[in-house]
Amino acid sequence: MKSQDTPFVGGPLDGRVLPVLLGLTGHPPKTYRVPVPDAVGGPPTVLVYRRVQAGPGGRFGLHPGWRYEYDPEGEDGGRPRWPWSKPRPGPAATPGAGTDPADE
């Protein structure tokens, strides 16, 4: 398998360059999860990094590579989104979130 040295920006891995395995398309995965063991022995904390372009496209439209940026929320975006899929419920979609106290 091929790997590529990829820089990490933000979070605990800020400034590090780690080898990341490439997929079948030759790109690193869109999300990179790093489990960090708990000092007390509890469940590990999972740090989530998202893949972004390392810089703007050059003269011929080729980008210089990839880097990972820290995602503090770490929400799961790993499942495919098909056009016929239902939209994901957002924070405003929770019951009672859209009520206005002035209406009462």
Side-chain angles (χ1 to χ4, degrees), residues 26-101:
H27 298 290
K30 290 184 181 180
T31 57
Y32 193 80
R33 300 180 196 296
V34 181
V36 178
D38 190 26
V40 185
T45 304
V46 178
L47 304 174
V48 178
Y49 286 84
R50 303 263 179 228
R51 181 187 74 185
V52 295
Q53 285 189 4
R59 181 175 178 177
F60 299 109
L62 299 174
H63 65 85
W66 302 101
R67 72 176 184 199
Y68 283 103
E69 290 185 356
Y70 180 62
D71 183 11
E73 283 85 35
E75 295 181 14
D76 186 26
R79 76 173 216 217
R81 298 300 303 162
W82 304 105
W84 55 84
S85 299
K86 294 181 181 177
R88 291 185 182 144
T94 57
T99 61
D100 188 12

